[in-house]
Amino acid sequence: MGSYPKTESGKAGPVLANKKATFYPVIKNNHSGQYMPTPTRADMAVVPLEKRAPWNNTLRGQYIASYIDSYGNPNWDWSGVDIHHVIQESTGQETVSLICIHYREPFTSNRYLHGGQATKMKIGGVSMILKKTLQALKKRLDEKGNMEIVAEQGEIHTVHCSFNPPIAGKELKDFQDEKGWILPEDVQQFLSKHNGAKMYEMLLGSINIGGGLQIYSLEEIKKTHDALKSLSDYIPIGYVFENNLLISRTALERDDPDYLYISGTLLKPEPLHSNLELFLDRFVVSQGSNFWEWPNYTAKNYYKQSGGIETSY
């Protein structure tokens, strides 16, 4: 913290400075006319990983589209522009962020600051991501419900997806009343669109050999829950790669949004740190892969454990 040196009698207001007494720069985006707000402190704490605002190519594209819509097209070469959060505060479905826009000089590590501004970005809420994910997946399917994907190790597979008709609202309510459950919002949203589905089942020629992800119908949820006596504290909602996909009833009681667990036939359920909506989104993005296990397979053990492509270093 600090203030500018006095150049005349009177008091100067406090200004931000770092430990080398360098004042925080006044930065203006000459295109938008916006000034980048000055943080309240120079010693901001590092935001923990789990609390950081999400950022990916989709959100980057949404920000650029929003910027052009608000201020017009500056005709920058956006492929050479870095856009990132400096500070952020998440409230519900809206993230208020300080966005910095840098221009990257080709073939160097130099960044030139175009400017920054306080920007509100809408992150899709529950059911919005689910809706868009299902729409995007269906657009890729042919009239038979098939599509080609690029799988691990450069394999090309043909997979099949099928979706049941929706469940009636009254039937969904009666089911929850009967079981004494209140299913998570995204699970209810899925069932209201499709009372069960099978996604990324592999085709061997014209033969459907299964695999992939199955989201249960209400009847299948009930029958599977009755059969899984040892997992009475969980609600089975699907099956993926020979594993049960489960809702933790304890997580629901704690109002924990990361309610999704996975378990083999004889294994203790393990947390997926997700809900159904995010799991489905990532499953589709990874083209039907067991993405949650990827961190387990490092360059040291992948080739031994998976029989992967031989390589030498």
Side-chain angles (χ1 to χ4, degrees), residues 137 140-142 145-149 157-161 200 287:
L137 174 59
R140 297 202 56 219
L141 302 175
D142 64 20
N146 301 336
M147 66 178 174
E148 283 193 342
I149 62 169
H157 296 157
T158 301
V159 296
H160 178 74
C161 299
Y200 291 87
Q287 300 197 85

Side-chain angles (χ1 to χ4, degrees), residues 138-157:
K138 291 174 185 177
K139 284 181 180 179
R140 297 202 56 219
L141 302 175
D142 64 20
E143 65 279 0
K144 296 181 180 180
N146 301 336
M147 66 178 174
E148 283 193 342
I149 62 169
V150 178
E152 291 89 347
Q153 300 182 13
E155 295 288 330
I156 297 177
H157 296 157

